[in-house]
Amino acid sequence: MLKNDLLLRALRHEDVKRPPVWMMRQAGRYLPEYIAFRNKYDFFTRVETPELACAITLQPVDILGVDAAIIFSDILVVPKAMGMTVLMEEGKGPSLPNTIKTQKDIDLLNEHDIVSRLSYVLDALKLTKHELNDRVPLIGFAGAPFTLLCYMVEGKGGKGFDKAKAFCFTQPELASMLLEKITQATIQYLIGQAKAGADVLQVFDSWSGLLAPADFDLFAAPYLIKIADAVAPYAPVILFPKGSNYALCSLSQYQNVSGIGLDWTIKPADARRDTQHRVALQGNFDPSKLMMQPNEIRREVHAMIDDFGVNGYIANLGHGITPSIPVRHAKAFVDAVKEYSLNSEA
Ligand code: CP3
């Protein structure tokens, strides 16, 4: 039995005294303890060694006191397990030198037995679940098919992913074939994560907001829903279609979607209006605001919780925390959420 099940209660819309809090990319370069591992082991060694991934996952739980752990891994482990070369260059971000261009490239991707090639993630989850000793829930995750397509076709991170979008618009049959393959791999992978101990599953569609609403309905939504339908019997699912505010109303209609993550470009009241408590909402503090002074962070966080309401809400950032944030400020964010009930009763 979990000692702190606030996250699961929020996803079920049960009454809580305060919302749960965790931070996207909470295990990362703003923590000196993470940098210590980074100085010793390269990125994929950290990800592929269960003992290292476990130790890194626990850091923010111990240091910040967040209400959930998220397994230390990356969305790009899936393209790697499907056979693509994925490099993580220090200071430059990911690079996939052999991009997907043709039908043949897609045919070569192997979505079968994906779970066996990702067994290191499952081992990391099992170990972390054990080490957590039921202190807080453990979140597993994967990249959404459209976001993974962006990296697989573009070959690197970017602002607009023009090449990847042009691939979708000019070769929609190839795009749907690729998205379908990624979807099948992701379903197997997420079910494997739940079986290995993940209590909640989040699907990161970090780049879906680059799509117009009609294109989101073609290239993102069907695959997100397919994944949610397949994995919901195993664990509650949070979708994070970053920037796709236009999709909130429709995505929230699906029974198998338990939560939706938001970035800071939407007012809490508008998100509630569009979703009507059919799903829990997660977000949406602008991570750049963590540069403000702790007392200001505290005020802003309390205003954010006032706006979302306490039930069916998961306090989080609107995107990942960045390396320049002082740990003291990250802690102020977490503490501000944790003291909320005391504050509002005063
Ligand atoms: O949230 C967590 O604490 C778990 C860890 C986690 C990482 N990546 C570790 C990581 C998670 C959930 C991810 C997801 C991820 N990876 C996403 C979706 C979320 C988002 O931010 O939009 C995306 C798009 C990626 C792809 C990726 N991985 C990029 C673009 C980069 C480089 C940018 C950067 O921050 O450096 C990575 C590398 C990466 N993944 C790092 C970490 C901690 C930093 C590299 C390092 O520490 O050496």
Side-chain angles (χ1 to χ4, degrees):
M1 268 276 281
L2 284 163
K3 291 168 194 128
N4 173 347
D5 65 350
L6 275 175
L7 176 65
L8 299 170
R9 294 173 63 88
L11 287 167
R12 292 193 297 255
H13 305 262
E14 291 172 10
D15 281 336
V16 286
K17 284 226 166 82
R18 64 157 178 98
V21 56
W22 67 281
M23 281 187 291
M24 286 187 277
R25 292 284 185 98
Q26 64 189 16
R29 284 167 297 176
Y30 72 103
L31 285 177
E33 292 83 352
Y34 176 83
I35 297 288
F37 281 98
R38 192 171 188 261
N39 290 341
K40 263 175 99 174
Y41 309 99
D42 70 36
F43 185 72
F44 282 110
T45 304
R46 274 174 273 145
V47 166
E48 291 169 9
T49 311
E51 292 73 19
L52 295 179
C54 170
I56 294 171
T57 301
L58 296 176
Q59 286 177 345
V61 179
D62 294 333
I63 298 165
L64 302 178
V66 283
D67 295 309
I70 177 164
I71 193 68
F72 180 74
S73 186
D74 200 84
I75 63 168
L76 298 174
V77 298
V78 168
K80 201 171 181 226
M82 293 175 89
M84 292 187 79
T85 301
V86 181
L87 309 168
M88 194 62 73
E89 294 165 44
E90 297 290 313
K92 278 179 71 186
S95 147
L96 294 80
N98 309 313
T99 54
I100 302 294
K101 297 182 206 71
T102 62
Q103 165 96 52
K104 184 159 165 273
D105 298 331
I106 298 171
D107 290 343
L108 283 172
L109 294 171
N110 181 5
E111 81 276 33
H112 302 292
D113 284 335
I114 195 92
V115 175
S116 66
R117 289 189 299 290
L118 290 166
S119 59
Y120 60 86
V121 181
L122 308 190
D123 290 341
L125 283 161
K126 287 177 201 155
L127 185 59
T128 306
K129 187 75 187 160
H130 178 260
E131 292 295 314
L132 276 171
N133 195 19
D134 281 336
R135 274 180 288 165
V136 291
L138 178 56
I139 303 172
F141 72 91
F146 175 73
T147 287
L148 289 181
L149 175 147
C150 281
Y151 288 98
M152 292 162 86
V153 172
E154 195 91 15
K156 56 182 184 337
K159 286 227 160 63
F161 286 95
D162 300 332
K163 217 170 108 185
K165 282 168 62 183
F167 177 83
C168 292
F169 301 148
T170 60
Q171 302 182 84
E173 303 81 16
L174 283 191
S176 79
M177 224 179 278
L178 177 55
L179 291 163
E180 190 58 48
K181 263 198 160 184
I182 302 169
T183 300
Q184 292 313 320
T186 303
I187 287 170
Q188 296 312 311
Y189 179 43
L190 288 173
I191 291 174
Q193 292 191 47
K195 288 184 176 168
D199 299 291
V200 172
L201 299 167
Q202 174 153 323
V203 183
F204 286 89
D205 216 345
S206 306
W207 301 110
S208 70
L210 295 173
L211 292 168
D215 296 318
F216 180 90
D217 290 343
L218 284 177
F219 299 108
Y223 307 97
L224 289 171
I225 295 309
K226 216 177 239 194
I227 292 169
D229 285 344
V231 308
Y234 298 86
V237 179
I238 302 172
L239 301 180
F240 178 46
K242 184 177 180 293
S244 295
N245 297 337
Y246 48 74
L248 285 175
C249 179
S250 59
L251 288 177
S252 66
Q253 313 276 345
Y254 293 92
Q255 269 242 310
N256 289 325
V257 177
S258 291
I260 300 183
L262 307 167
D263 73 10
W264 51 88
T265 63
I266 187 162
K267 285 184 189 163
D270 290 347
R272 284 289 189 209
R273 180 202 59 211
D274 290 354
T275 57
Q276 296 291 328
H277 278 277
R278 290 183 294 260
V279 291
L281 295 175
Q282 172 174 279
N284 69 345
F285 202 75
D286 185 338
S288 303
K289 286 202 167 183
L290 294 178
M291 290 307 281
M292 299 192 309
Q293 287 311 308
N295 62 329
E296 295 170 316
I297 292 173
R298 192 164 168 262
R299 197 187 57 232
E300 295 251 349
V301 167
H302 290 175
M304 175 174 78
I305 302 172
D306 286 340
D307 289 347
F308 276 105
V310 169
N311 289 337
Y313 174 54
I314 302 158
N316 203 319
L317 307 175
H319 202 189
I321 187 169
T322 49
S324 55
I325 304 300
V327 179
R328 199 165 61 84
H329 292 207
K331 183 102 169 56
F333 177 81
V334 173
D335 288 345
V337 179
K338 290 177 130 184
E339 72 192 19
Y340 182 83
S341 56
L342 300 173
N343 187 66
S344 56
E345 279 163 16

